[in-house]
Amino acid sequence: MDGGEDRLFLGLDFSTQQIKAEAINDSLQIVNETAVKFDSDLPEFKTHGGVHIHNDNVTVTAPTIMWVKAFDLLLEKMKKDGFPFHKVACISGAGQQHGSVYWKTGTNKILRSLDEKKQLHKQLQNCFSIPDSPVWMDASTTVNCRELEEKVGGPLKLAEITGSRSFERYTGTQIMKISRTRPSEYKDTERISLVSSFAASLFIGDYAPIDLSDGSGMNLLDIRTKKWSPECLQACGSDLSQKLGDPVPSKQVIGNVSQYLISRYNFSPNCKVVAFTGDNPASLAGMAPKLGDVVISLGSSDTVFSWSPSHTAELEGHIFVNPIDSNTYMSLVCFKNGSLTRERIKDESADGSWDKFSEYLKKTPIGNNGNIGIYFDVMEIQPLVQGIFRFNKSDEKVTSFPPEVEVRAVIEGQMIARKMYMEMEMRGMHTGLDTRILATGGASLNKAILQVISDVFGAPVFVSDIPNSAGLGSCYRAKHGLEGCDFSEVVKNHPQPECVAVPTEGAHEVYKEMSLRYRKLEREIANQQ
Ligand code: 5FX
């Protein structure tokens, strides 16, 4: 190995429902894609959508060891398929954001002296002080959120420091909850990782640092100084700065691949690892956006994000340190009811067929004859509400819609909310005919859905033929970190996305009025809960 056209860059994506590896060569061509799906490939963990939703309906966790076992399976699959591990020059990766991993005291020694003959999950099975990791879908920490905000001087003050007011899924309050409810397990925790830095730890055989971009999703990092905020740490748990380690810029090389991986899979001893980051920051890198582009990512969660040169504190949405350039920022809004809700409605109203779903979207009018649906199958983030709500054109509640109306209602309702919260979070951001909306994620393959997005946002929608932008972004980040050049240099051969939908005439007026109604109805629902 070493240099030359032959070298590869490996990108990992530890997402909610699966882990995936993607490899590119120096010309940015994808040469390998391998995935392990938690529900179907690891049925012994009995997850649904990669998680366990507890009986209280707000606690959501995933077994940490399942992720380790998935890592074993993934690399074994690649080995079996003859993947040339020795050609990998650098690795980076992404993880579902906010989720946390609790390593038991003494584990670092084990990580540093792994036995190449044994699978990793067998060696790490007793190494997690909290065996079930809280994930981004968890909404069980409302009391902790209020406490954190109060301790630092209110929600806006917290947003000024950390880029976000307190949100239930954010890691700081998840840690606070664990330190209060499970004090002995907390004490027996040597290190706390995010899913991203946990995954990186499996590659370097040591505790990997948290990167600044994913670290911004914890309500613990001061995004102005790029250091942990002492007051936030103090509010969330004792000895927290030791348990977290120092954060590093997202493009930092954090070490070489472990001896375990060299011996077991034939990685090169020179193979470097660049800090892993969150899935949304990695997606930003994978879309290679221009300033002013808006990315809409349609996955387990739906997110809308963009690259911002500066930041202002807002009560809705989030600001993260930018994964590509830690002197700039990225703004993001996140919605919990994304693809699983769309899939449920496809199953219930379109006989489980995406073709039929698309047909219904095409045959129903823009604005759905005034019908509006709000589908929060699980507790939404903004607003913090769960339930299904349907309204007719006079804003009266109705209990059901005909199937084709239901299909349009879910997509219109979701996209109106995506635009509305994007405008609240990214003050001054308005989409128009000169904005490029870059769509990614599973639903970006569905042209009928993309047409609704274009109509609601009043902007053309572009897609590239790579739906997994987090994995690709991780490959780009690996190359960027290794070469230390400008990111624009790394992505100069990135395939140009193609315009697949432009706004329909007249749609703008319909959605302008409908958005006002949506906002009023959503507020009423939130006030009633
Ligand atoms: C972002 O803030 C989120 O919570 C989600 O998009 C997760 O990152 C999904 F993995």
Side-chain angles (χ1 to χ4, degrees):
M1 212 259 320
D2 281 349
E5 263 305 293
D6 241 345
R7 62 183 190 163
L8 302 178
F9 298 92
L10 185 61
L12 282 300
D13 179 16
F14 278 61
S15 69
T16 315
Q17 305 195 42
Q18 61 178 346
I19 64 172
K20 200 162 179 189
E22 207 141 311
I24 60 166
N25 59 19
D26 259 309
S27 322
L28 311 189
Q29 286 159 326
I30 297 177
V31 297
N32 184 278
E33 270 185 316
T34 309
V36 171
K37 296 197 163 88
F38 302 132
D39 294 0
S40 51
D41 291 328
L42 293 163
E44 62 274 32
F45 292 100
K46 299 189 169 61
T47 54
H48 178 63
V51 300
H52 293 143
I53 302 184
H54 296 223
N55 288 340
D56 64 3
N57 247 336
V58 285
T59 306
V60 185
T61 59
T64 315
I65 201 70
M66 173 181 80
W67 296 333
V68 183
K69 200 165 179 187
F71 170 92
D72 283 328
L73 280 191
L74 185 83
L75 293 184
E76 282 163 14
K77 252 190 190 185
M78 290 168 75
K79 185 173 177 178
K80 204 162 142 235
D81 295 344
F83 179 76
F85 288 102
H86 64 286
K87 290 189 177 173
V88 178
C90 193
I91 302 171
S92 192
Q96 49 170 303
Q97 294 199 260
H98 320 296
S100 42
V101 168
Y102 299 79
W103 304 89
K104 209 184 253 180
T105 304
T107 299
N108 209 15
K109 257 202 210 124
I110 301 177
L111 272 178
R112 287 179 180 166
S113 53
L114 293 165
D115 177 351
E116 67 181 72
K117 294 194 195 66
K118 292 192 193 141
Q119 289 175 305
L120 206 54
H121 74 273
K122 298 220 165 99
Q123 302 183 65
L124 296 181
Q125 60 190 345
N126 296 316
C127 290
F128 301 106
S129 48
I130 305 287
D132 292 302
S133 285
V135 297
W136 65 276
M137 296 168 82
D138 188 279
S140 67
T141 58
T142 304
V143 286
N144 309 93
C145 288
R146 297 296 79 80
E147 182 179 330
L148 175 61
E149 288 177 342
E150 206 170 290
K151 282 200 167 139
V152 302
L156 200 58
K157 181 77 197 155
L158 185 63
E160 245 171 70
I161 304 170
T162 69
S164 300
R165 70 164 164 87
S166 200
F167 284 89
E168 277 70 6
R169 68 195 191 288
Y170 267 48
T171 326
T173 45
Q174 293 289 342
I175 295 173
M176 186 199 284
K177 176 182 154 193
I178 284 173
S179 74
R180 301 273 169 79
T181 55
R182 303 170 78 172
S184 64
E185 287 96 327
Y186 179 78
K187 203 161 167 235
D188 195 22
T189 300
E190 170 173 85
R191 183 77 168 216
I192 301 175
S193 296
L194 290 176
V195 178
S196 54
S197 58
F198 149 80
S201 307
L202 303 184
F203 280 93
I204 62 172
D206 203 341
Y207 292 141
I210 291 175
D211 78 294
L212 290 174
S213 194
D214 208 15
S216 312
M218 303 173 82
N219 278 142
L220 293 177
L221 184 81
D222 187 326
I223 60 164
R224 306 159 304 180
T225 61
K226 321 279 193 280
K227 297 203 174 358
W228 299 125
S229 149
E231 49 196 324
C232 296
L233 289 188
Q234 209 191 350
C236 292
S238 54
D239 303 324
L240 199 43
S241 92
Q242 286 95 300
K243 288 187 201 289
L244 292 172
D246 290 337
V248 297
S250 311
K251 65 174 183 198
Q252 186 159 312
V253 172
I254 55 166
N256 280 29
V257 81
S258 71
Q259 187 54 50
Y260 172 80
L261 293 182
I262 296 169
S263 314
R264 197 171 161 91
Y265 296 102
N266 198 27
F267 274 99
S268 156
N270 297 328
C271 174
K272 304 277 179 221
V273 179
V274 163
F276 282 30
T277 191
D279 50 2
N280 293 296
S283 270
L284 182 83
M287 303 299 285
K290 300 197 190 97
L291 212 64
D293 288 345
V294 170
V295 180
I296 178 157
S297 166
L298 303 162
S300 304
S301 64
D302 284 353
T303 52
V304 184
F305 51 85
S306 73
W307 185 316
S308 5
S310 59
H311 70 92
T312 39
E314 301 290 351
L315 290 180
E316 299 303 338
H318 318 290
I319 305 286
F320 301 145
V321 174
N322 193 299
I324 296 158
D325 165 9
S326 43
N327 294 315
T328 62
Y329 295 89
M330 116 177 224
S331 339
L332 175 136
V333 276
C334 175
F335 303 86
K336 230 193 259 179
N337 292 283
S339 63
L340 292 177
T341 305
R342 290 187 285 274
E343 254 164 62
R344 176 182 67 73
I345 290 186
K346 179 256 305 171
D347 291 341
E348 289 173 7
S349 300
D351 301 329
S353 150
W354 281 118
D355 286 344
K356 195 159 193 179
F357 189 95
S358 303
E359 218 179 277
Y360 282 167
L361 273 181
K362 285 184 202 146
K363 77 176 203 199
T364 42
I366 287 172
N368 217 3
N369 291 321
N371 295 300
I372 290 183
I374 301 180
Y375 301 84
F376 297 150
D377 288 7
V378 292
M379 182 78 80
E380 192 40 88
I381 294 167
Q382 48 221 338
L384 203 58
V385 168
Q386 183 170 12
I388 312 293
F389 310 90
R390 297 180 187 85
F391 302 91
N392 65 17
K393 64 175 192 289
S394 315
D395 292 349
E396 290 155 353
K397 266 197 172 169
V398 292
T399 47
S400 65
F401 283 148
E404 66 277 15
V405 176
E406 182 92 332
V407 164
R408 181 164 274 278
V410 67
I411 301 299
E412 284 189 342
Q414 287 187 335
M415 298 313 147
I416 287 172
R418 309 307 175 246
K419 179 166 191 273
M420 181 172 100
Y421 282 98
M422 175 202 79
E423 287 175 346
M424 283 195 234
E425 150 67 3
M426 306 172 200
R427 280 261 170 111
M429 165 71 93
H430 294 286
T431 48
L433 287 175
D434 55 351
T435 320
R436 290 200 313 173
I437 306 264
L438 305 178
T440 179
S444 68
L445 299 171
N446 185 317
K447 292 236 163 102
I449 295 180
L450 298 178
Q451 185 59 54
V452 179
I453 297 177
S454 180
D455 289 339
V456 171
F457 281 76
V461 174
F462 292 75
V463 290
S464 53
D465 55 1
I466 305 134
N468 177 24
S469 50
L472 184 65
S474 300
C475 298
Y476 290 173
R477 290 184 55 258
K479 191 161 157 52
H480 184 215
L482 185 71
E483 298 192 337
C485 58
D486 228 47
F487 190 70
S488 56
E489 189 57 30
V490 172
V491 293
K492 69 173 190 278
N493 290 331
H494 175 77
Q496 278 311 309
E498 189 198 336
C499 179
V500 288
V502 292
T504 313
E505 231 184 289
H508 179 67
E509 287 68 38
V510 175
Y511 286 122
K512 204 167 152 196
E513 196 240 306
M514 208 164 175
S515 301
L516 294 173
R517 286 180 54 219
Y518 182 96
R519 188 166 185 172
K520 175 182 88 79
L521 293 168
E522 200 197 67
R523 276 212 190 120
E524 280 169 15
I525 295 167
N527 290 339
Q528 278 157 20
Q529 293 252 322

